[in-house]
Amino acid sequence: MRDLFKFMVLLLLFIELIWLFVPRDWAYFGHDMAAGWNGAGGVLSDEVYRIWSISYSVALLVVYFALYNYIKWAPRALLVLVCIDLATTSFLGISVFTGFDLFLYKLILICSGAVLAMAYFSDLKKDFVRKVGSA
C-alpha cells in the first residue's frame, strides 16, 4: 500500500509540474475564436486568475511533497485544497480546454481522491500520526 501511495503522490507531483510549467495560453493554439471566450463571465480577472492558479499549484506541490514524506498535516491540507478547487471552479466563467488539458485535470482529481482515501482509510493513517519531535 505504501508503494502505491508513494507512486500516486509522485504521479500527482509530476502532473502538477506539467500543469504549472506548460504555457497558460496553450489552449489557444488553433482555436482563436473559441479561446477568446476563455474566462468570460468569471468573477476573477485574467491577471488575478493567473496569480491564483500559480499560487494554488505551488501550494499543491508543497502538499504533495509533505504527503510523500508522511507529514502529519498533509492529508488535511490536500483535502482543503481539493475542496477549494471544487468550490471555486464554478466561478471561473467559460473555460476552453484541450483534450489533454482536461485529461490532466480529471486525472489530478481522481488521483487526489485515491490519495485522500489511502491517507484517511487505510493502514497509512498511522504513518501520518507522529509524536512531536520525531523525524
Side-chain angles (χ1 to χ4, degrees), residues 11-126:
L11 180 64
L12 282 167
L13 188 67
F14 179 70
I15 293 170
E16 195 63 40
L17 283 171
I18 290 172
W19 192 274
L20 184 63
F21 290 112
V22 167
R24 294 285 169 206
D25 297 330
W26 76 327
Y28 295 170
F29 301 138
H31 305 284
D32 295 331
M33 283 292 282
W37 287 93
N38 203 18
V43 175
L44 302 176
S45 69
D46 194 42
E47 296 81 22
V48 173
Y49 171 70
R50 286 174 193 260
I51 292 169
W52 164 256
S53 179
I54 290 170
S55 7
Y56 182 80
S57 290
V58 169
L60 279 174
L61 290 173
V62 169
V63 170
Y64 294 151
F65 181 77
L67 281 166
Y68 189 81
N69 292 307
Y70 297 104
I71 296 175
K72 183 178 180 179
W73 52 265
R76 187 170 297 136
L78 181 61
L79 180 62
V80 167
L81 287 174
V82 167
C83 289
I84 288 171
D85 182 46
L86 293 174
T88 58
T89 300
S90 61
F91 298 108
L92 299 180
I94 296 171
S95 297
V96 178
F97 291 103
T98 63
F100 183 68
D101 210 12
L102 190 60
F103 170 75
L104 287 180
Y105 178 70
K106 288 184 177 190
L107 187 61
I108 286 172
L109 285 179
I110 290 169
C111 290
S112 294
V115 165
L116 285 171
M118 285 187 270
Y120 280 109
F121 302 113
S122 73
D123 295 337
L124 292 174
K125 184 176 183 177
K126 67 180 183 266

